[in-house]
Amino acid sequence: MDAYELIEKEENNLKKLSPFMVQVLHYAASRGKLTSELALRIGHLAEYVKNFSPMIYRLLVSCYEAFPDKNMVDSICKYIMKGQPGKKENFRWFSIAVEENIRITRLYEYYIETMPSGYQEILPQVIRMYFVYNNNLSSRKKAMVYANVIRNKENDKTTYQNYRKAMEQFAHEALQEGRINADYAVVYQECIDTLTSTVVGEKLADIMFTYRIFCDNPRIRNVIVCHDELQQEAVYPCNDGEAYIQLYHRNARILFEDDRKRRYAATVDYDLQKLMDEKEYIRQCVALDVVHPGLILAVCSASSQVEMKNLVGYQHAAHMEEFRPEYRHVICKMILEYYAAHAGDDTLDSYLTNMDYMTFAAVAKVLLCEILTEQGLY
């Protein structure tokens, strides 16, 4: 109390934010004794503190709450940058600084760095303009910016057009690296409409069946997806209650694994969100003859019978070791039944002359012999 009375009488008595002075000022703030002039002085002195201290940070916040001021926001942001500016809770201050048009080095980068995932509101104009020409963000943060621009393209068509070329290039680079989350999915869906090669198709097949799964159970460490048709189960890490999994059809089983390797099925609540509309991509991948286990399974699972449009997919499935023998057995029988029903179709001859006869003979030898005889393949 005595120390604060001396500071209150003469502000020059506050020369630096020593541990004792910080304690005195916290005492004054808790009792509403701070003045606007003293608050500004505290903000000024904080610039000379070399290392970040939570106590000084809380003192600056108390000063702002007592006297909301542009200069205090400037002081808080600069002080935060001495510690861990990338923390999510700092977005509050960086967003206020942007709204107040405060100029601080790397302010816009930290604004994006701390922006909440899935941020839906349109970005401030100064942010949108800045990152057209100065985009040195990480890949994940670039995806956040681009996804935001795409979601708000009807409200700001000019920015969308300015970003379009960079977004297309980014989409193809990120696809080659196999990156995926909700933001990447928005960018891919917007910027990749035509598949130019089987390589692009294979990369897209790796991510276009992605679902985001939410689970608020803090013990869960992994999400396990089991497709009955595949030999191996797939394990996906669950971080902060969120995991990105591949589902090739809705009959797959989803299990949860905790930190002690115990698994749960029906006792864990979760939400599932599909990230991409894959129908057109599947059509193009089939046209390019892309061979990918997940893609082939999706093609075969989409229909209960063999048709000309999915025949190639069934043919690939019959020989892929990623599938269980029992499933390949069923596939082989369905193919033979299709060939028997379309024996007069000359377009089927090329596959018949190159097929693995022993594999199909193990499934239905008599039917295979009848089909081959019908086609003159004695």
Side-chain angles (χ1 to χ4, degrees):
M1 292 173 63
D2 290 342
Y4 181 73
E5 287 177 3
L6 292 173
I7 296 173
E8 194 174 30
K9 290 177 182 178
E10 180 54 58
E11 291 179 7
N12 288 332
N13 287 327
L14 179 59
K15 293 179 170 57
K16 67 176 183 178
L17 296 178
S18 64
F20 174 71
M21 282 299 180
V22 172
Q23 188 176 0
V24 170
L25 294 168
H26 265 293
Y27 163 82
S30 66
R31 285 158 178 76
K33 291 179 175 292
L34 289 180
T35 63
S36 58
E37 294 79 9
L38 192 55
L40 290 174
R41 185 167 180 80
I42 292 170
H44 173 71
L45 291 175
E47 295 184 20
Y48 296 95
V49 178
K50 292 183 179 181
N51 300 316
F52 181 85
S53 166
M55 287 285 288
I56 295 178
Y57 168 71
R58 290 197 294 270
L59 177 60
L60 291 171
V61 172
S62 296
C63 291
Y64 175 81
E65 292 173 347
F67 305 100
D69 181 83
K70 180 178 178 179
N71 292 323
M72 282 306 306
V73 176
D74 182 274
S75 297
I76 291 173
C77 289
K78 288 179 178 177
Y79 191 71
I80 286 172
M81 291 179 186
K82 296 179 181 181
Q84 295 178 305
K87 289 185 176 181
K88 294 180 180 179
E89 55 265 30
N90 293 332
F91 180 71
R92 170 193 176 188
W93 302 112
F94 295 138
S95 61
I96 295 175
V98 170
E99 291 172 7
E100 295 286 353
N101 201 28
I102 296 174
R103 303 293 183 182
I104 304 175
T105 302
R106 291 190 58 78
L107 171 62
Y108 301 151
E109 283 83 358
Y110 286 132
Y111 177 95
I112 297 298
E113 190 68 28
T114 57
M115 187 170 70
S117 178
Y119 189 73
Q120 299 293 326
E121 297 180 21
I122 189 168
L123 294 173
Q125 185 177 13
V126 66
I127 296 288
R128 286 174 276 147
M129 293 176 62
Y130 178 80
F131 285 111
V132 170
Y133 306 105
N134 302 278
N135 203 334
N136 295 318
L137 296 169
S138 65
S139 178
R140 186 172 61 86
K141 292 301 178 180
K142 280 184 181 179
M144 288 181 67
V145 173
Y146 293 153
N148 186 278
V149 170
I150 292 168
R151 292 186 185 108
N152 294 284
K153 65 179 181 180
E154 296 301 325
N155 300 323
D156 186 4
K157 296 181 180 179
T158 301
T159 297
Y160 175 81
Q161 292 300 326
N162 290 338
Y163 273 82
R164 178 70 195 191
K165 185 176 180 180
M167 290 192 300
E168 289 178 351
Q169 181 179 349
F170 171 79
H172 285 88
E173 291 174 354
L175 181 61
Q176 289 301 314
E177 297 171 358
R179 298 181 181 274
I180 186 64
N181 62 21
D183 294 320
Y184 284 109
V186 171
V187 177
Y188 294 147
Q189 203 85 60
E190 182 72 19
C191 299
I192 300 178
D193 50 10
T194 302
L195 307 187
T196 56
S197 67
T198 55
V199 174
V200 176
E202 289 169 359
K203 291 293 184 180
L204 199 56
D206 285 335
I207 55 94
M208 66 183 176
F209 300 102
T210 302
Y211 285 71
R212 180 166 61 175
I213 193 166
F214 300 92
C215 171
D216 57 6
N217 189 323
R219 297 178 302 169
I220 300 304
R221 295 291 179 269
N222 294 305
V223 179
I224 294 92
V225 177
C226 302
H227 291 88
D228 288 340
E229 301 85 355
L230 296 176
Q231 294 269 24
Q232 301 292 329
E233 64 185 24
V235 181
Y236 304 92
C238 184
N239 299 313
D240 298 325
E242 182 179 81
Y244 292 91
I245 66 175
Q246 301 293 315
L247 286 182
Y248 305 117
H249 58 69
R250 281 306 187 101
N251 293 328
R253 296 191 304 280
I254 298 176
L255 308 175
F256 297 88
E257 186 177 77
D258 65 13
D259 51 359
R260 297 176 63 182
K261 302 296 182 181
R262 295 177 299 191
R263 293 187 173 188
Y264 307 86
T267 57
V268 175
D269 294 328
Y270 66 92
D271 292 318
L272 202 60
Q273 177 191 2
K274 187 177 182 180
L275 296 189
M276 299 182 69
D277 182 1
E278 75 282 2
K279 294 184 180 63
E280 176 58 23
Y281 291 140
I282 290 177
R283 187 192 68 77
Q284 293 190 49
C285 284
V286 171
L288 290 169
D289 196 22
V290 173
V291 181
H292 180 281
L295 172 68
I296 299 302
L297 179 55
V299 170
C300 295
S301 301
S303 175
S304 59
Q305 59 185 5
V306 181
E307 301 171 320
M308 181 57 69
K309 64 181 180 181
N310 62 19
L311 176 60
V312 174
Y314 276 88
Q315 290 172 345
H316 285 309
H319 306 287
M320 295 181 72
E321 294 184 357
E322 290 86 352
F323 293 109
R324 292 180 181 274
E326 300 85 356
Y327 181 66
R328 282 186 284 160
H329 185 101
V330 172
I331 291 295
C332 289
K333 187 172 183 179
M334 293 175 68
I335 291 174
L336 289 176
E337 290 173 349
Y338 177 82
Y339 274 62
H342 299 79
D345 191 340
D346 295 336
T347 61
L348 306 180
D349 290 351
S350 61
Y351 182 72
L352 288 174
T353 56
N354 295 298
M355 71 192 308
D356 183 354
Y357 297 118
M358 297 307 294
T359 298
F360 283 86
V363 175
K365 183 166 61 177
V366 173
L367 182 58
L368 173 63
C369 290
E370 290 176 350
I371 293 171
L372 294 175
T373 303
E374 181 72 23
Q375 295 298 321
L377 299 172
Y378 305 117

